[in-house]
Amino acid sequence: MSLRQRAGALIYDWPRFALQMRRGRWVEVRNRDETITTDARGVRCEWRFSSDLHIAKVFPPAGERLMRAALRDWPVVERDAAPAAAAHPEASFIIGHRGISRLPHLLRTLRSIAGQSGAAIECIVVEQSAIPEIESTLPHWVRYIHTPTPSPSFEYARAWAFNVGARIARAPLLILQDNDLVVPERYAAEAVARAKEGWSFLDLKRFVFYLDANGALERIAQNLQGGTVIAARDVYFAIGGFDESFVGWGGEDNDFRERAEAHGGVYGFGYLPFVHLFHEPQQGKLEGDAAPAVRRYREIEHVPATERIARLRAREIGNPNAPPTPET
């Protein structure tokens, strides 16, 4: 980090950061050129795509201080024991998964889901692979479904995994969760509470704390479209679910959010912290805008969201035995 960048952060970013931390308003920490809107709980980011918190890059101790404050208010509780069984769960966690290398990430994410309190939950893991690999390693309280792929080289289709899980979910509220994101103890309870207020789509993330290979804080992301999002089950299908034409990395979360906003009922004031576990970049991510799924999003982003909804509602989605094909 250059001396000029450090000086700029010290002059322009640090005073506001220090004031917000003293006031206990860590949710309002932002970059100097960003605009936020607040409600009684959290923050809505008034810019389109995700960004990293600059002061945490320039002064890592500031990022660590922010993470400690956030997790003190909204702690993560990890348990091996199963959550209380519920005949009628209030929220269904749905996690797509592929590969043995990510299994430790999945198991730790499941431990944080087992630590949920204040809401009746279930958890569904959708393994997408040529042959089943992980079923025997999962906790007994997790519902498992395998979706066979045409070949081992078939690119991961996250949208398909979510749709398959949504089809078999028993709860009226879906939490569409990545397998590398540890969640706070009250996440499901907060989701259920906001849904009872009448919201159909929820994005409660304020900050995502990315860990490095040594478990130290690497960066702090805000305004992420994906990672974990929440939708009422009936409205999820009313907007067509996730678009299964997205195969490979990128774009599906942006498309889903745009269709959700076109439908209405989106609560986008983030106030919860999440912890992202380290792994090597997934296939396609380093390609950026050249990734086929990202190109797919660029092709359809100017199509009115209502038209996209109508197109998707006319299709079958979530068939565990029907792998999607790109750009269909």
Side-chain angles (χ1 to χ4, degrees), residues 10-93:
L10 189 62
I11 294 170
Y12 297 108
D13 298 315
W14 181 263
R16 185 176 61 245
F17 171 81
L19 178 62
Q20 289 159 336
M21 295 301 292
R22 282 198 303 271
R23 291 176 173 174
R25 294 296 296 169
W26 56 264
V27 295
E28 296 181 12
V29 174
R30 58 177 173 82
N31 294 324
R32 72 187 76 154
D33 56 346
E34 294 171 343
T35 301
I36 59 173
T37 302
T38 62
D39 73 351
R41 301 181 191 90
V43 164
R44 186 176 66 207
C45 299
E46 304 293 354
W47 60 94
R48 187 175 181 190
F49 295 118
S50 64
S51 64
D52 287 350
L53 197 61
H54 181 64
I55 196 167
K57 289 185 172 182
V58 180
F59 299 116
E64 294 163 4
R65 179 181 172 187
L66 175 58
M67 182 169 69
R68 286 194 302 270
L71 294 177
R72 183 171 57 247
D73 287 351
W74 299 99
V76 170
V77 174
E78 297 185 34
R79 294 193 178 100
D80 291 320
H88 302 287
E90 297 171 280
S92 297
F93 282 87

Side-chain angles (χ1 to χ4, degrees), residues 88-92 120 122 169-174 195 200 231-235:
H88 302 287
E90 297 171 280
S92 297
E122 69 168 358
R170 295 183 295 149
L173 195 65
L174 309 178
S200 299
R233 189 180 186 277
D234 57 345
V235 184

Side-chain angles (χ1 to χ4, degrees), residues 234-253:
D234 57 345
V235 184
Y236 179 89
F237 287 105
I239 68 165
F242 271 81
D243 185 344
E244 293 181 9
S245 69
F246 287 93
V247 176
W249 179 85
E252 71 274 11
D253 289 310

Side-chain angles (χ1 to χ4, degrees), residues 144-209:
Y144 169 86
I145 183 170
H146 178 249
T147 54
T149 59
S151 70
S153 62
F154 181 83
E155 287 197 79
Y156 182 61
R158 183 167 168 268
W160 179 36
F162 282 152
N163 288 343
V164 169
R167 284 288 182 198
I168 66 170
R170 295 183 295 149
L173 195 65
L174 309 178
I175 302 178
L176 304 144
Q177 170 81 23
D178 282 356
N179 65 357
D180 54 9
L181 202 65
V182 174
V183 304
E185 178 188 13
R186 295 281 303 173
Y187 182 33
E190 291 298 309
V192 170
R194 302 291 79 75
K196 287 180 178 178
E197 294 172 351
W199 302 100
S200 299
F201 301 95
L202 308 164
D203 189 350
L204 304 184
K205 299 184 302 292
R206 178 59 187 109
F207 293 115
V208 177
F209 298 98

Side-chain angles (χ1 to χ4, degrees), residues 216-232:
L217 180 62
E218 180 178 48
R219 66 186 180 95
I220 302 175
Q222 50 181 348
N223 201 32
L224 289 179
Q225 297 291 298
T228 182
V229 295
I230 306 157

Side-chain angles (χ1 to χ4, degrees), residues 104-164:
H105 303 72
L106 172 63
L107 294 177
R108 187 168 177 194
T109 298
L110 292 174
R111 281 173 52 85
S112 71
I113 293 173
Q116 295 297 288
S117 66
I121 65 167
E122 69 168 358
C123 184
I124 300 165
V125 170
V126 181
E127 182 181 22
Q128 190 179 109
S129 57
I131 59 172
E133 294 182 299
I134 67 166
E135 182 176 12
S136 64
T137 68
L138 298 179
H140 67 86
W141 54 271
V142 172
R143 298 175 64 194
Y144 169 86
I145 183 170
H146 178 249
T147 54
T149 59
S151 70
S153 62
F154 181 83
E155 287 197 79
Y156 182 61
R158 183 167 168 268
W160 179 36
F162 282 152
N163 288 343
V164 169

